[in-house]
Amino acid sequence: SILTALLLLASGLMAQDSGTGEVRGTHTEPLQLNVKGAITMALGSNLDLALSAVRTEVSRFDELGSWGAFDWVFDASLGRQQAQNKAGGFLGGGVGGAVIETEANSLNFSFTRPLTSGGSFALAFSNRVSDSNSFLQDDPKQYTDSLSLSYAQPLMRGAWSGYATSLQRQGELAYRRQVETERQTRLGVVYQVRLAYWALVNAIEQPGVAVSGLGSEERRLRQGC
C-alpha cells in the first residue's frame, strides 16, 4: 500500500521541518521527503495508474482506427482468357469445320471512397485487348477501354452521417470515458499519498510529543513536591 511504501522510504526519520514541509532523518546525509516528492514517486510507480494510461492509449488508437472505414479503397485485377470455338454450317468450311481461337487480356482497377453520409464514390477503369483468327474481323486485335465515375447514396437505412458514423462516435465516447477513468485513478493516488504522508508525519512526531509531555509532567510533579 501507499502507507507501507512511505514507511519504508521514511525509515529512520525523526522529525519534520515545518518551514519546508520536509521530513529529515538522522543519517549522515539526511533523507528528504516532502509531499510533492511523495506524490511524484507514487505516480511513477503505481501499476494501476500505468495500466490505466495504457488503456487510454489503446482507446485513442481504437477511435482513430475506426475512421479507417472511410479511407480510399483500391481494387485491381488482371485477367487472361483463351477460347476455341468451332464454326459450323457455311462458315465451317467443310466437314471438320474451322476453329476460331480467341485470346483476351484485361486490366481493371478502381478507387472507392466510402463517405460519412453512408454513400460511396467510385472511379473505375477497364482495359481489354482481344486477338482472334476469325476471318470475319478486319483487324484481329480489338481494344476496349472504359472509364466510369459513380456515386451511390442510400436513402433509407444507412443514410446520412447520423447512422454511418455511429461506430466512430462510440469510439470517441469510449476514449473520453477512459480519459476520465485515468484522471480519476490519478486523483485517487494523489489523495491516498497525501493521507499516508501526513499520517506518517504525525506518527513521527508522536514520540517527541510524548517525551515533551512526559517532561512537563515530571516538572509539575517536582514543583508539587
Side-chain angles (χ1 to χ4, degrees), residues 81-209:
Q81 181 181 11
Q82 293 181 329
Q84 292 182 345
N85 297 307
K86 185 175 181 180
F90 174 75
L91 298 177
V95 179
V99 176
I100 300 176
E101 296 182 352
T102 304
E103 292 184 357
N105 297 318
S106 61
L107 171 64
N108 305 280
F109 64 85
S110 65
F111 294 91
T112 304
R113 175 67 152 79
L115 304 175
T116 57
S117 63
S120 61
F121 170 83
L123 175 65
F125 174 78
S126 176
N127 172 264
R128 178 182 173 86
V129 180
S130 60
D131 189 1
S132 175
N133 64 350
S134 174
F135 58 88
L136 296 178
Q137 298 178 353
D138 295 335
D139 188 349
K141 285 192 175 183
Q142 302 292 324
Y143 301 89
T144 303
D145 293 330
S146 65
L147 179 66
S148 64
L149 181 65
S150 63
Y151 170 75
Q153 174 61 58
L155 297 179
M156 300 296 291
R157 182 180 179 184
W160 318 121
S161 60
Y163 180 92
T165 58
S166 59
L167 294 178
Q168 284 66 39
R169 283 199 297 276
Q170 289 177 7
E172 180 183 0
L173 292 175
Y175 171 59
R176 290 182 179 179
R177 181 170 59 249
Q178 179 56 39
V179 169
E180 293 303 316
T181 299
E182 180 183 352
R183 189 168 72 92
Q184 180 182 17
T185 303
R186 178 180 293 272
L187 291 177
V189 171
V190 173
Y191 174 73
Q192 293 296 328
V193 168
R194 289 185 180 274
L195 288 182
Y197 179 87
W198 293 115
L200 176 62
V201 170
N202 182 65
I204 294 174
E205 291 290 344
Q206 284 302 316
V209 173

Side-chain angles (χ1 to χ4, degrees), residues 69-93:
F70 301 103
D71 289 340
W72 282 96
V73 178
F74 174 70
D75 292 319
S77 64
L78 181 64
R80 178 178 177 83
Q81 181 181 11
Q82 293 181 329
Q84 292 182 345
N85 297 307
K86 185 175 181 180
F90 174 75
L91 298 177

Side-chain angles (χ1 to χ4, degrees), residues 15-34:
Q16 180 193 19
D17 185 346
S18 59
T20 61
E22 294 180 348
V23 179
R24 300 179 180 273
T26 58
H27 301 78
T28 304
E29 295 182 359
L31 177 62
Q32 300 180 357
L33 183 66
N34 55 26

